């Protein structure tokens, strides 16, 4: 079984800064980490490899410095790492990102064997859109399983997988054909600490580096800022509210009396909320 995990190196959320002109995230000089949601995807891929055999390939798109995060992923025990890096990828929104990643996954399939499962984290902590996983699945024509909380079984002989998906109001049990893409939830497993042997291998490992041309990108206008229709008009912090929260003294009032009092105040509250929404 071949598993590809899409991983992203992101700025430490505590130190994110936004460019005042372009309204894009400033990554220079900001400490970076592996996107926390992707760590659960990596761990789940390694667990499946341990149970069913095969290989795990980690894929990321980013600047040359993203190699550090890939080596960290290798230290957990992944088999190989692929870095998609090129100035043409800079400034990509989710549409351009999914185009580049899908192209690279096709190249990975051609060189290292077609993937049975593509893993992504639920979302990233910088963009926070949760669009990349489904977007990659759409471009590759893969069945997609999102918000997956547990993988029950994988039947390689019959090319089937059964998962549990967290849904509003409960949990769904889904069966799907392979290959598929799985967007995994946070907290579904306990991320391992890599062994010393894996850490030494990661330090010596060769990270596969592909430019846009190497990855087989045919239309460069679909990459990076040129291929990104998303425009961030404005980034701002919410204005602090001058009004203080009103404290209702319950006293000895029964529940019915409190509900009646809240209904009396409802028109005023709705009016204030409407004014507040217009202000933003």
């Amino acid at each position: 079984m071949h598993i590809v995990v899409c991983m992203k190196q992101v700025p430490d959320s505590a130190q994110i800064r936004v460019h005042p002109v372009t309204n894009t995230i400033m990554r220079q000089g900001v400490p970076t980490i592996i996107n926390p949601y992707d760590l659960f995807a990596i761990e789940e891929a390694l667990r499946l490899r341990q149970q069913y055999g095969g290989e795990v390939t980690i894929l990321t798109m980013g600047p040359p410095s993203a190699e550090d995060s890939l080596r960290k992923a290798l230290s957990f025990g992944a088999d190989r790492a692929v870095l998609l890096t090129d100035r043409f990828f800079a400034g990509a929104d989710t549409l351009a990102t999914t185009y580049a990643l899908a192209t690279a996954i096709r190249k990975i399939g051609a060189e290292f064997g077609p993937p049975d499962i593509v893993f992504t984290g639920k979302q990233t902590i910088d963009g926070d859109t949760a669009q990349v996983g489904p977007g990659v699945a759409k471009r590759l024509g893969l069945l997609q399983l999102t918000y997956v909380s547990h993988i029950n079984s994988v039947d390689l002989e019959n090319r089937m997988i059964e998962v549990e998906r967290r849904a509003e109001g409960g949990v769904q049990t889904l069966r799907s054909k392979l290959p598929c893409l799985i967007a995994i939830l946070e907290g579904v497993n306990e991320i391992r600490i890599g062994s010393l042997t894996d850490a030494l291998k990661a330090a010596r490992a060769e990270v596969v580096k592909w430019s846009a041309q190497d990855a087989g990108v045919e239309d460069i206008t679909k990459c990076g800022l040129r291929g990104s229709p998303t425009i961030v008009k404005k980034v701002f912090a919410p204005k602090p509210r001058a009004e203080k929260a009103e404290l209702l003294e319950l006293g000895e009032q029964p529940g019915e009396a409190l509900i009646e009092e809240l209904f009396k105040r409802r028109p005023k509250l709705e009016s204030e909320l409407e004014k507040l929404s217009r202000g933003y």
Side-chain angles (χ1 to χ4, degrees), residues 21-66:
V21 178
T22 63
N23 285 320
T24 56
I25 293 175
M26 297 173 64
R27 303 179 186 273
Q28 293 80 7
V30 179
T32 56
I33 57 174
I34 295 177
N35 177 50
Y37 294 107
D38 296 342
L39 290 171
F40 297 103
I42 294 171
E43 175 61 30
E44 201 64 28
L46 294 174
R47 290 187 179 199
L48 288 181
R49 184 196 63 183
Q50 185 175 344
Q51 187 173 356
Y52 299 101
E55 293 183 329
V56 173
T57 299
I58 310 295
L59 169 65
T60 194
M61 183 182 83
S65 60

Side-chain angles (χ1 to χ4, degrees), residues 169-190:
V171 176
Q172 300 172 336
T173 299
L174 305 176
R175 297 189 72 208
S176 170
K177 293 182 179 179
L178 295 176
C180 68
L181 180 140
I182 296 176
I184 202 89
L185 283 176
E186 72 279 9
V188 301
N189 51 45
E190 187 175 341

Side-chain angles (χ1 to χ4, degrees), residues 18-25 91 93 225 228-236:
V18 177
H19 195 283
V21 178
T22 63
N23 285 320
T24 56
I25 293 175
D93 66 0
L225 203 56
S228 302
T230 304
I231 298 175
V232 181
K233 184 178 180 181
K234 185 179 180 182
V235 177
F236 62 95

